[in-house]
Amino acid sequence: MGAQEVRDGFAALYGAQPEGVWAAPGRVNLIGEHTDYNDGFVMPFALPHTAVAAVSRRADGVLRLHSADLDAGVAELRLDELAPESDRNWTAYPAGVVWALREAGHQVTGADVHLASTVPSGGGLSSSAALEVVVALALGDLFELGLQPWQLARLCQRAENVYVGAPTGIMDQTASACCEAGHALFLDTRDLSQKQIPLDLAAEGLRLLVVDTQVTHAHSGGEYGKRRAGCEKGAALLGVDALRDIPYGDLDAALARLGDEEEVRRLVRHVVTEDQRVERVVSLLEAGGDTRAVGPILTEGHASLRDDFRVSCTELDLVVDTALAGGALGARMTGGGFGGSAIVLVEESDVETITKAVENAFAAAGFKAPRVFEAVPAAGARRVS
């Protein structure tokens, strides 16, 4: 849904034109999974798919929220009644942002919000982060809070961690807030230092496909939290602040020190090797060499997520195996796992063949038809009208 449609929807709902319209994208993560909450490295880029919000200020302590994507009326909340984990509906994400802004001392006095999103929900493409960031950006602009994109990302992460109750890292919100068109974002999640890495696959005759398995996941579920707790346990047992502090060259010695903590060993091995995979991909892209060499690194990452971190599922494995058998250069699940999407690096000439092979494999397995589209690095959050 475009900016004008969202603007018109706002006017129909609230009886007046909005003060502005903003957009924030979903993201796909090229490499670096489950490393963000371990102070490690990630490399996402923004998608053209966005959450769009038309917003106006209020001065009476009321927050009104509406989504064009849901068959529900306007939700009306009082700011002084917002409390962590009190809301299990979609409204928790924008309301959590307002709560986080006010908790940080920012004078937000209320708002009318009308939203629409083209980011697939539950697809591992950060639909919730897009929703948070677009509301944060709009309120930051309207209330003249002077917040930088990375600061908005931090506040949105706090909203999701504390208000929603989902123990996610900082990657999704930072990608939505900070990515640039035509680039992947190399992000150090410890100090939030960023580097925009040019990524023009089409110039090399390549395409990156996103395959949404249509298997939904939720970060507020228990399995994601268990993985994070296991990583924290591993860091504590190894005497480091975070698993990022284990050098790749010292991995074998670190694993030996964990003794019979087999589950923790697997988690540690994934995180340390995944950080190294991010650095390898960055080196390849910065060197301006053959981007095709990134493919096998993606596939390595999937094996690690499947076998060590154990967050893949039958549908994701089917995408990867079918794509590779069909000649893909590399493939892996992307996002938190337990469903969601996979990415597939392919030659431009193989897009149709591999897409059809994956669709046929899903049909033969009796699975719901996947959604397949090309991922092109897009712009981060911005005001659109």
Side-chain angles (χ1 to χ4, degrees), residues 59-285:
D60 58 358
V62 170
L63 175 65
R64 294 197 292 182
L65 301 167
H66 183 265
S67 171
D69 306 317
L70 300 172
D71 185 18
V74 175
E76 185 168 310
L77 307 170
R78 291 208 57 84
L79 301 191
D80 56 8
E81 294 176 358
L82 299 180
E85 300 193 51
S86 62
D87 186 351
R88 295 300 178 188
N89 299 307
W90 73 272
T91 50
Y93 296 98
V97 168
V98 176
W99 171 85
L101 286 167
R102 286 165 57 85
E103 281 285 300
H106 299 294
Q107 298 302 308
V108 176
T109 57
D112 287 337
V113 182
H114 175 56
L115 292 145
S117 180
T118 57
V119 185
S121 178
L125 302 174
S126 299
S127 59
S128 60
L131 195 61
E132 292 158 357
V133 170
V134 74
V135 171
L137 179 61
L139 295 177
D141 284 355
L142 290 174
F143 288 97
E144 299 180 345
L145 303 181
L147 297 169
Q148 296 298 311
W150 68 268
Q151 293 173 304
L152 291 175
R154 275 287 193 211
L155 285 163
C156 290
Q157 183 199 18
R158 178 167 168 75
E160 187 148 353
N161 289 173
V162 180
Y163 194 90
V164 177
T168 56
I170 191 65
M171 174 181 66
D172 296 351
Q173 292 84 1
T174 305
S176 186
C178 301
C179 278
E180 294 181 4
H183 294 76
L185 179 69
F186 177 38
L187 173 67
D188 182 332
T189 65
R190 169 164 284 168
D191 62 12
L192 295 190
S193 60
Q194 303 176 18
K195 190 170 187 180
Q196 301 287 345
I197 308 294
L199 184 63
D200 187 356
L201 298 173
E204 297 186 54
L206 301 174
R207 294 291 186 270
L208 188 72
L209 302 179
V210 175
V211 183
D212 180 359
T213 64
Q214 308 277 359
V215 178
T216 59
H217 71 160
H219 279 166
S220 55
E223 290 301 317
Y224 186 98
K226 286 180 184 176
R227 302 306 189 280
R228 182 164 186 165
C231 290
E232 291 169 353
K233 180 179 179 180
L237 289 171
L238 293 169
V240 294
D241 291 335
L243 294 183
R244 180 265 185 69
D245 296 314
I246 305 298
Y248 178 74
D250 295 346
L251 176 59
D252 288 344
L255 295 177
R257 288 167 55 200
L258 290 171
D260 59 1
E261 292 279 358
E262 181 54 36
E263 183 177 358
V264 175
R265 282 165 54 88
R266 288 190 287 98
L267 299 178
V268 170
R269 182 165 52 228
H270 167 74
V271 172
V272 175
T273 58
E274 187 78 348
D275 272 336
Q276 194 248 5
R277 280 186 283 272
V278 177
E279 293 182 297
R280 287 161 61 195
V281 170
V282 170
S283 295
L284 282 169
L285 294 179

Side-chain angles (χ1 to χ4, degrees), residues 199-208 291-292 345-348 374-377:
L199 184 63
D200 187 356
L201 298 173
E204 297 186 54
L206 301 174
R207 294 291 186 270
L208 188 72
T291 304
R292 288 165 177 81
L345 184 65
V346 301
E347 300 285 355
E348 181 180 10
E374 183 183 347
V376 179

Side-chain angles (χ1 to χ4, degrees), residues 1 22-26 47-52 69 116-119 130-131 378-380 382:
M1 185 175 288
W22 292 260
L47 291 168
H49 307 73
T50 59
V52 181
D69 306 317
S117 180
T118 57
V119 185
L131 195 61
R382 62 223 180 258

